[in-house]
């Protein structure tokens, strides 16, 4: 197994143990032969390449030269390794702060080593849950590793999780070739958003770091939240007990300043997810013959979720909020494009000041009035 970095096993989280735990606990992928697997990987690569042109043509964003990020078709362990590397990079300032608060005395060092392993196991449990559900991902904050390259100029990487795509296309009983192209259109839109809008990555990272800097909680409180989520996954919470009114991990550590930042982050994520849904549905009829059937079945799958345990864990992790982001963001994009056209909508990418607020996501006309208002004579 590839190490996630020289200091991966020290501090608040044992990252290598998180990878090992997730890999050991994750569900097996769908039953495919070696030849079938090769064919799926090759087709996903072809679709990703074709999607670049489709997305650029529809969105009027980017050029061939703006794509400096690699495409990686991965299995479930590969997705886990990539995300652990990204988490470790993004959370480093917060974890360093927590480590300083804990102290460096002999007793605290021993407690830290034990706590890091416990947290690594529990984080691995959560990742094993997510690893079987993610179809694809544009990994924005992606440090390069030996096995996982990233963009040459600080960009991310596009991940397509082949076994999950095969699993869902079989579960939905849809045309495999159409479904694979439909998925790559969504993920390629995310890559285009970040490669065509150079300031977007730094802006998003700045907001996240500002959120983390405002975190002022005892380290054990954060670890306890991870433990609660892990216990939900393992069935360790008593029947009917949601705990903390069912709030998500993010909501549980907010300060007033964080709530403001989170509102801006929620608006940006709603925009990005809704835009990707809008694009794959807009391009779909031209290149995906069965797009209407795929969309209907996929929406039903999103809406109903899975077991009660799955639903409870999704709420604790804040994944229900992500589902709302798809819906709210797509409605915002559609309303603005209908009113102002694609070029009018693309003014959203001008600067951080032209991004919609959380309130404007719900009321697109307010964003149009603000960004497209005519200067007074």
């Amino acid at each position: 197994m590839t190490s996630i970095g020289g200091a991966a096993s020290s501090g608040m989280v044992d990252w290598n143990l998180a990878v090992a735990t997730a890999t050991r606990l994750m569900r097996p992928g769908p039953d495919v032969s070696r030849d079938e697997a090769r064919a799926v990987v090759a087709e996903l690569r072809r679709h990703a390449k074709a999607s670049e042109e489709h997305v650029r043509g529809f969105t009027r964003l980017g050029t061939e030269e703006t794509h400096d990020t690699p495409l990686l078709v991965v299995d479930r362990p590969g997705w886990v390794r990539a995300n652990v590397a990204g988490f470790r990079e993004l959370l480093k300032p917060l974890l360093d702060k927590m480590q300083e608060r804990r102290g460096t005395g002999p007793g605290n060092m021993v407690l830290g080593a034990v706590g890091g392993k416990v947290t690594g196991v529990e984080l691995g449990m959560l990742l094993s849950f997510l690893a079987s559900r993610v179809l694809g991902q544009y990994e924005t904050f992606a440090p390069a590793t030996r096995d996982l390259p990233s963009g040459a100029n600080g960009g991310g990487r596009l991940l397509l999780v082949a076994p999950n795509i095969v699993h869902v296309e079989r579960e939905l009983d849809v045309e495999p070739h159409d479904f694979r192209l439909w998925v790559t259109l969504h993920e390629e839109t995310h890559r285009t958003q970040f490669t065509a809008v150079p300031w977007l990555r730094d802006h998003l990272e700045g907001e996240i770091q500002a959120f983390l800097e405002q975190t002022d909680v005892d380290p054990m409180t954060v670890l306890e939240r991870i433990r609660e989520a892990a216990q939900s996954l393992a069935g360790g919470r008593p029947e009917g007990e949601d705990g903390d009114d069912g709030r998500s991990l993010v909501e549980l550590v907010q300060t007033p300043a964080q709530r403001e930042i989170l509102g801006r982050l929620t608006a940006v994520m709603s925009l990005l997810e809704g835009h990707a849904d809008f694009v794959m549905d807009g391009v779909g009829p031209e290149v995906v013959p069965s797009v209407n059937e795929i969309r209907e079945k996929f929406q039903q799958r999103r809406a109903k979720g899975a077991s009660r345990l799955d639903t409870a864990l999704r709420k604790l992790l804040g994944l229900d909020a992500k589902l709302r982001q798809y819906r709210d963001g797509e409605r915002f994009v559609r309303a603005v494009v209908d009113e102002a056209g694609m070029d009018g909508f693309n003014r959203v990418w001008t600067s951080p000041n032209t991004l919609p607020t959380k309130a404007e996501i719900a009321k697109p006309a307010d964003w149009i009035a603000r960004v497209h208002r005519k200067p007074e004579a």
Side-chain angles (χ1 to χ4, degrees):
M1 179 183 299
T2 301
S3 173
I4 305 300
S9 297
S10 63
M12 301 297 295
V13 182
D14 187 330
W15 297 105
N16 284 335
L17 187 56
V19 173
T21 301
T23 302
R24 186 177 70 253
L25 295 179
M26 68 180 55
R27 300 174 183 176
D31 186 18
V32 296
S33 69
R34 187 177 298 272
D35 287 342
E36 287 175 316
R38 288 198 188 101
V40 170
V41 170
E43 183 173 17
L44 287 173
R45 290 189 177 281
R46 289 196 303 272
H47 284 331
K49 185 64 178 175
S51 294
E52 292 181 25
E53 185 175 346
H54 294 315
V55 170
R56 283 200 305 268
F58 185 80
T59 63
R60 303 174 194 171
L61 289 175
T63 65
E64 289 188 30
E65 288 70 30
T66 60
H67 277 67
D68 72 335
T69 57
L71 164 70
L72 304 177
V73 181
V74 297
D75 57 10
R76 290 170 181 176
W79 178 86
V80 168
R81 288 194 297 272
N83 276 266
V84 164
F87 287 155
R88 183 169 181 258
E89 182 83 3
L90 195 61
L91 295 177
K92 187 177 185 302
L94 173 63
L95 296 178
D96 286 348
K97 178 180 177 181
M98 292 167 66
Q99 185 70 46
E100 288 174 9
R101 175 171 293 190
R102 168 172 279 178
T104 57
N108 287 331
M109 293 294 285
V110 173
L111 181 62
V114 173
K117 290 188 180 299
V118 171
T119 308
V121 168
E122 292 170 342
L123 178 60
M125 293 172 68
L126 298 181
L127 289 169
S128 73
F129 169 84
L130 295 171
S132 63
R133 286 158 173 77
V134 176
L135 301 182
Q137 173 186 4
Y138 182 76
E139 205 188 4
T140 315
F141 311 106
T145 68
R146 185 178 65 190
D147 299 328
L148 296 164
S150 62
N153 298 316
R157 52 188 169 230
L158 180 61
L159 307 178
L160 295 173
V161 190
N164 294 350
I165 293 172
V166 172
H167 171 78
V168 173
E169 71 192 25
R170 291 179 178 179
E171 178 185 307
L172 298 181
D173 191 25
V174 293
E175 210 290 318
H177 306 294
D178 285 3
F179 183 74
R180 294 166 194 175
L181 177 55
W182 188 72
V183 169
T184 59
L185 287 169
H186 181 101
E187 304 308 331
E188 179 57 41
T189 302
H190 286 317
R191 178 159 63 167
T192 297
Q193 290 163 347
F194 282 93
T195 54
V197 185
W199 55 264
L200 184 58
R201 179 189 182 278
D202 288 343
H203 171 73
L204 194 58
E205 183 176 22
E207 291 280 59
I208 292 171
Q209 292 302 335
F211 180 89
L212 295 177
E213 286 169 7
Q214 290 292 329
T215 298
D216 189 25
V217 295
D218 181 78
M220 295 311 297
T221 302
V222 175
L223 301 185
E224 182 61 28
R225 299 313 178 196
I226 296 175
R227 184 167 298 114
E228 288 176 4
Q231 288 172 347
S232 290
L233 181 59
R237 175 168 292 163
E239 182 72 19
E241 181 183 325
D242 288 334
D244 290 301
D245 300 321
R247 291 179 293 172
S248 73
L249 289 172
V250 170
E251 291 171 320
L252 287 166
V253 298
Q254 281 183 58
T255 64
Q258 282 179 308
R259 280 193 288 274
E260 291 186 18
I261 299 168
L262 189 63
R264 296 195 297 269
L265 280 170
T266 298
V268 174
M269 298 311 296
S270 296
L271 171 70
L272 298 179
E273 296 293 358
H275 184 233
D277 266 13
F278 177 79
V279 170
M280 72 178 180
D281 282 350
V283 174
E286 295 284 332
V287 297
V288 182
S290 59
V291 64
N292 291 333
E293 177 191 2
I294 291 173
R295 164 56 78 184
E296 181 179 356
K297 290 183 174 180
F298 195 76
Q299 290 285 50
Q300 290 173 355
R301 182 180 185 271
R302 267 184 186 170
K304 73 180 182 180
S307 65
R308 181 185 179 281
L309 175 62
D310 192 357
T311 302
L313 187 59
R314 281 191 346 195
K315 175 180 281 191
L316 188 59
L317 292 173
L319 299 182
D320 281 348
K322 185 175 177 65
L323 296 180
R324 290 195 295 274
Q325 288 168 7
Y326 285 111
R327 295 191 298 267
D328 297 346
E330 197 273 342
R331 281 196 293 265
F332 171 84
V333 176
R334 186 172 301 280
V336 173
V337 172
D338 286 347
E339 178 69 23
M342 186 63 74
D343 290 336
F345 166 77
N346 280 341
R347 289 183 66 174
V348 78
W349 312 116
T350 304
S351 76
N353 292 330
T354 56
L355 291 171
T357 65
K358 189 176 179 181
E360 287 170 342
I361 287 288
K363 294 183 177 181
D366 290 354
W367 180 86
I368 294 173
R370 176 172 67 86
V371 174
H372 287 268
R373 65 171 178 257
K374 296 179 181 179
E376 296 181 5

